PDB file of all heavy atoms in Angstrom:
ATOM      1  N   HIS C  47      30.513 112.701  13.901  1.00 96.00           N
ATOM      2  CA  HIS C  47      30.185 113.791  13.006  1.00 96.00           C
ATOM      3  C   HIS C  47      31.221 113.573  11.877  1.00 96.00           C
ATOM      4  O   HIS C  47      32.421 113.831  12.120  1.00 96.00           O
ATOM      5  CB  HIS C  47      30.318 115.113  13.636  1.00 96.00           C
ATOM      6  CG  HIS C  47      30.109 116.270  12.713  1.00 96.00           C
ATOM      7  ND1 HIS C  47      29.240 116.241  11.642  1.00 96.00           N
ATOM      8  CD2 HIS C  47      30.681 117.466  12.667  1.00 96.00           C
ATOM      9  CE1 HIS C  47      29.158 117.418  11.042  1.00 96.00           C
ATOM     10  NE2 HIS C  47      30.176 118.097  11.648  1.00 96.00           N
ATOM     11  N   ARG C  51      30.604 114.706   5.078  1.00 93.00           N
ATOM     12  CA  ARG C  51      29.327 114.385   4.528  1.00 93.00           C
ATOM     13  C   ARG C  51      28.365 115.657   4.760  1.00 93.00           C
ATOM     14  O   ARG C  51      27.278 115.769   4.228  1.00 93.00           O
ATOM     15  CB  ARG C  51      28.593 113.235   5.251  1.00 93.00           C
ATOM     16  CG  ARG C  51      29.265 111.845   4.910  1.00 93.00           C
ATOM     17  CD  ARG C  51      28.465 110.972   5.570  1.00 93.00           C
ATOM     18  NE  ARG C  51      29.043 109.519   5.416  1.00 93.00           N
ATOM     19  CZ  ARG C  51      28.478 108.397   5.864  1.00 93.00           C
ATOM     20  NH1 ARG C  51      27.252 108.489   6.449  1.00 93.00           N
ATOM     21  NH2 ARG C  51      29.007 107.216   5.675  1.00 93.00           N
ATOM     22  N   CYS C  52      28.874 116.550   5.696  1.00 94.00           N
ATOM     23  CA  CYS C  52      27.989 117.672   6.148  1.00 94.00           C
ATOM     24  C   CYS C  52      27.978 118.780   5.048  1.00 94.00           C
ATOM     25  O   CYS C  52      28.965 119.112   4.328  1.00 94.00           O
ATOM     26  CB  CYS C  52      28.609 118.295   7.433  1.00 94.00           C
ATOM     27  SG  CYS C  52      27.686 119.643   8.010  1.00 94.00           S
ATOM     28  N   VAL C  53      26.723 119.235   4.831  1.00 93.00           N
ATOM     29  CA  VAL C  53      26.532 120.244   3.764  1.00 93.00           C
ATOM     30  C   VAL C  53      26.129 121.603   4.332  1.00 93.00           C
ATOM     31  O   VAL C  53      25.809 122.529   3.620  1.00 93.00           O
ATOM     32  CB  VAL C  53      25.405 119.763   2.788  1.00 93.00           C
ATOM     33  CG1 VAL C  53      25.818 118.624   1.982  1.00 93.00           C
ATOM     34  CG2 VAL C  53      24.137 119.479   3.516  1.00 93.00           C
ATOM     35  N   GLY C  54      26.091 121.676   5.672  1.00 92.00           N
ATOM     36  CA  GLY C  54      25.910 123.043   6.248  1.00 92.00           C
ATOM     37  C   GLY C  54      24.475 123.462   6.083  1.00 92.00           C
ATOM     38  O   GLY C  54      24.205 124.749   5.876  1.00 92.00           O
ATOM     39  N   CYS C  55      23.478 122.542   6.089  1.00 93.00           N
ATOM     40  CA  CYS C  55      22.173 122.959   5.905  1.00 93.00           C
ATOM     41  C   CYS C  55      21.352 123.477   7.169  1.00 93.00           C
ATOM     42  O   CYS C  55      20.416 124.122   7.114  1.00 93.00           O
ATOM     43  CB  CYS C  55      21.345 121.798   5.458  1.00 93.00           C
ATOM     44  SG  CYS C  55      21.153 120.586   6.660  1.00 93.00           S
ATOM     45  N   ARG C  56      22.078 123.422   8.349  1.00 93.00           N
ATOM     46  CA  ARG C  56      21.607 123.900   9.587  1.00 93.00           C
ATOM     47  C   ARG C  56      20.268 123.232  10.143  1.00 93.00           C
ATOM     48  O   ARG C  56      19.671 123.756  10.992  1.00 93.00           O
ATOM     49  CB  ARG C  56      21.301 125.464   9.629  1.00 93.00           C
ATOM     50  CG  ARG C  56      22.619 126.249   9.158  1.00 93.00           C
ATOM     51  CD  ARG C  56      22.460 127.643   9.345  1.00 93.00           C
ATOM     52  NE  ARG C  56      22.260 128.143  10.742  1.00 93.00           N
ATOM     53  CZ  ARG C  56      21.579 129.168  11.031  1.00 93.00           C
ATOM     54  NH1 ARG C  56      20.940 129.945  10.117  1.00 93.00           N
ATOM     55  NH2 ARG C  56      21.357 129.641  12.256  1.00 93.00           N
ATOM     56  N   SER C  57      19.936 122.091   9.511  1.00 93.00           N
ATOM     57  CA  SER C  57      18.773 121.279   9.987  1.00 93.00           C
ATOM     58  C   SER C  57      19.008 120.891  11.484  1.00 93.00           C
ATOM     59  O   SER C  57      18.097 120.948  12.256  1.00 93.00           O
ATOM     60  CB  SER C  57      18.483 120.113   9.151  1.00 93.00           C
ATOM     61  OG  SER C  57      18.418 120.415   7.886  1.00 93.00           O
ATOM     62  N   CYS C  58      20.207 120.619  11.811  1.00 94.00           N
ATOM     63  CA  CYS C  58      20.548 120.160  13.117  1.00 94.00           C
ATOM     64  C   CYS C  58      20.262 121.203  14.133  1.00 94.00           C
ATOM     65  O   CYS C  58      19.768 121.024  15.258  1.00 94.00           O
ATOM     66  CB  CYS C  58      21.868 119.564  13.173  1.00 94.00           C
ATOM     67  SG  CYS C  58      23.135 120.640  12.456  1.00 94.00           S
ATOM     68  N   GLU C  59      20.690 122.417  13.737  1.00 94.00           N
ATOM     69  CA  GLU C  59      20.541 123.625  14.598  1.00 94.00           C
ATOM     70  C   GLU C  59      19.037 123.859  14.834  1.00 94.00           C
ATOM     71  O   GLU C  59      18.579 124.103  15.958  1.00 94.00           O
ATOM     72  CB  GLU C  59      21.079 124.909  13.911  1.00 94.00           C
ATOM     73  CG  GLU C  59      22.635 124.869  13.953  1.00 94.00           C
ATOM     74  CD  GLU C  59      23.049 126.366  13.416  1.00 94.00           C
ATOM     75  OE1 GLU C  59      22.397 127.348  13.840  1.00 94.00           O
ATOM     76  OE2 GLU C  59      24.069 126.334  12.806  1.00 94.00           O
ATOM     77  N   VAL C  95      26.683 125.438  13.388  1.00 94.00           N
ATOM     78  CA  VAL C  95      27.480 124.942  12.311  1.00 94.00           C
ATOM     79  C   VAL C  95      28.331 126.095  11.695  1.00 94.00           C
ATOM     80  O   VAL C  95      27.770 127.125  11.339  1.00 94.00           O
ATOM     81  CB  VAL C  95      26.602 124.283  11.315  1.00 94.00           C
ATOM     82  CG1 VAL C  95      27.508 123.766  10.116  1.00 94.00           C
ATOM     83  CG2 VAL C  95      25.835 123.155  11.860  1.00 94.00           C
ATOM     84  N   PHE C 108      32.199 121.910   6.667  1.00 94.00           N
ATOM     85  CA  PHE C 108      31.344 122.444   7.659  1.00 94.00           C
ATOM     86  C   PHE C 108      31.605 121.648   8.969  1.00 94.00           C
ATOM     87  O   PHE C 108      31.834 120.458   8.893  1.00 94.00           O
ATOM     88  CB  PHE C 108      29.882 122.251   7.375  1.00 94.00           C
ATOM     89  CG  PHE C 108      29.557 123.112   6.053  1.00 94.00           C
ATOM     90  CD1 PHE C 108      29.575 122.478   4.816  1.00 94.00           C
ATOM     91  CD2 PHE C 108      29.121 124.429   6.232  1.00 94.00           C
ATOM     92  CE1 PHE C 108      29.262 123.288   3.691  1.00 94.00           C
ATOM     93  CE2 PHE C 108      28.874 125.241   5.060  1.00 94.00           C
ATOM     94  CZ  PHE C 108      28.898 124.613   3.797  1.00 94.00           C
ATOM     95  N   LYS C 110      30.087 120.994  12.914  1.00 95.00           N
ATOM     96  CA  LYS C 110      28.997 121.305  13.903  1.00 95.00           C
ATOM     97  C   LYS C 110      29.672 121.283  15.271  1.00 95.00           C
ATOM     98  O   LYS C 110      30.559 120.468  15.606  1.00 95.00           O
ATOM     99  CB  LYS C 110      28.062 120.082  13.820  1.00 95.00           C
ATOM    100  CG  LYS C 110      26.899 120.275  14.746  1.00 95.00           C
ATOM    101  CD  LYS C 110      26.027 118.971  14.616  1.00 95.00           C
ATOM    102  CE  LYS C 110      24.785 118.938  15.613  1.00 95.00           C
ATOM    103  NZ  LYS C 110      25.219 118.977  17.068  1.00 95.00           N
ATOM    104  N   CYS C 190      19.341 116.533  16.759  1.00 95.00           N
ATOM    105  CA  CYS C 190      20.243 116.835  15.606  1.00 95.00           C
ATOM    106  C   CYS C 190      20.397 115.661  14.755  1.00 95.00           C
ATOM    107  O   CYS C 190      20.424 115.721  13.554  1.00 95.00           O
ATOM    108  CB  CYS C 190      21.440 117.417  16.094  1.00 95.00           C
ATOM    109  SG  CYS C 190      22.407 116.481  17.291  1.00 95.00           S
ATOM    110  N   ALA C 193      17.562 114.806  12.726  1.00 94.00           N
ATOM    111  CA  ALA C 193      17.118 115.825  11.644  1.00 94.00           C
ATOM    112  C   ALA C 193      18.186 115.808  10.495  1.00 94.00           C
ATOM    113  O   ALA C 193      17.798 116.324   9.315  1.00 94.00           O
ATOM    114  CB  ALA C 193      17.132 117.199  12.249  1.00 94.00           C
ATOM    115  N   CYS C 194      19.307 115.322  10.671  1.00 94.00           N
ATOM    116  CA  CYS C 194      20.345 115.348   9.626  1.00 94.00           C
ATOM    117  C   CYS C 194      19.967 114.668   8.352  1.00 94.00           C
ATOM    118  O   CYS C 194      19.783 113.386   8.395  1.00 94.00           O
ATOM    119  CB  CYS C 194      21.671 114.880  10.143  1.00 94.00           C
ATOM    120  SG  CYS C 194      23.050 115.142   8.896  1.00 94.00           S
ATOM    121  N   PRO C 195      19.908 115.381   7.165  1.00 94.00           N
ATOM    122  CA  PRO C 195      19.505 114.618   5.995  1.00 94.00           C
ATOM    123  C   PRO C 195      20.580 113.934   5.251  1.00 94.00           C
ATOM    124  O   PRO C 195      20.390 113.193   4.353  1.00 94.00           O
ATOM    125  CB  PRO C 195      18.973 115.909   5.143  1.00 94.00           C
ATOM    126  CG  PRO C 195      19.779 117.047   5.603  1.00 94.00           C
ATOM    127  CD  PRO C 195      20.017 116.804   7.001  1.00 94.00           C
ATOM    128  N   MET C 196      21.850 114.173   5.636  1.00 92.00           N
ATOM    129  CA  MET C 196      22.879 113.631   5.030  1.00 92.00           C
ATOM    130  C   MET C 196      23.570 112.433   5.715  1.00 92.00           C
ATOM    131  O   MET C 196      24.603 111.948   5.337  1.00 92.00           O
ATOM    132  CB  MET C 196      24.029 114.774   4.796  1.00 92.00           C
ATOM    133  CG  MET C 196      23.575 115.936   4.001  1.00 92.00           C
ATOM    134  SD  MET C 196      22.916 115.544   2.426  1.00 92.00           S
ATOM    135  CE  MET C 196      24.339 115.052   1.615  1.00 92.00           C
ATOM    136  N   GLU C 197      23.088 112.030   6.820  1.00 92.00           N
ATOM    137  CA  GLU C 197      23.692 111.059   7.639  1.00 92.00           C
ATOM    138  C   GLU C 197      25.105 111.410   8.027  1.00 92.00           C
ATOM    139  O   GLU C 197      26.048 110.600   8.078  1.00 92.00           O
ATOM    140  CB  GLU C 197      23.572 109.608   7.126  1.00 92.00           C
ATOM    141  CG  GLU C 197      22.027 109.233   6.911  1.00 92.00           C
ATOM    142  CD  GLU C 197      21.909 107.811   7.161  1.00 92.00           C
ATOM    143  OE1 GLU C 197      22.840 106.961   7.528  1.00 92.00           O
ATOM    144  OE2 GLU C 197      20.749 107.342   7.053  1.00 92.00           O
ATOM    145  N   ALA C 198      25.354 112.806   8.068  1.00 94.00           N
ATOM    146  CA  ALA C 198      26.638 113.208   8.641  1.00 94.00           C
ATOM    147  C   ALA C 198      26.819 113.060  10.077  1.00 94.00           C
ATOM    148  O   ALA C 198      27.951 113.058  10.720  1.00 94.00           O
ATOM    149  CB  ALA C 198      26.822 114.797   8.362  1.00 94.00           C
ATOM    150  N   LEU C 199      25.697 112.683  10.797  1.00 96.00           N
ATOM    151  CA  LEU C 199      25.762 112.464  12.201  1.00 96.00           C
ATOM    152  C   LEU C 199      25.246 110.988  12.480  1.00 96.00           C
ATOM    153  O   LEU C 199      24.264 110.594  11.890  1.00 96.00           O
ATOM    154  CB  LEU C 199      24.821 113.370  12.992  1.00 96.00           C
ATOM    155  CG  LEU C 199      25.101 114.836  12.864  1.00 96.00           C
ATOM    156  CD1 LEU C 199      23.978 115.674  13.554  1.00 96.00           C
ATOM    157  CD2 LEU C 199      26.473 115.203  13.340  1.00 96.00           C
TER     158      LEU C 199
HETATM  159  S1  SF4 D 429      21.923 118.656   9.633  1.00 56.45           S
HETATM  160 FE1  SF4 D 429      23.668 117.348   9.071  1.00 56.45          FE
HETATM  161  S2  SF4 D 429      24.321 118.148   7.173  1.00 56.45           S
HETATM  162 FE2  SF4 D 429      23.031 119.790   7.912  1.00 56.45          FE
HETATM  163  S3  SF4 D 429      24.384 121.109   8.993  1.00 56.45           S
HETATM  164 FE3  SF4 D 429      23.677 119.667  10.551  1.00 56.45          FE
HETATM  165  S4  SF4 D 429      25.202 118.035  10.530  1.00 56.45           S
HETATM  166 FE4  SF4 D 429      25.516 119.161   8.618  1.00 56.45          FE
END
Side-chain angles (χ1 to χ4, degrees):
Chain C
H47 177 38
R51 294 187 184 185
C52 178
V53 294
C55 65
R56 302 185 68 208
S57 311
C58 47
E59 284 188 42
V95 177
F108 299 91
K110 180 181 178 301
C190 55
C194 180
M196 303 304 293
E197 299 213 3
L199 303 173

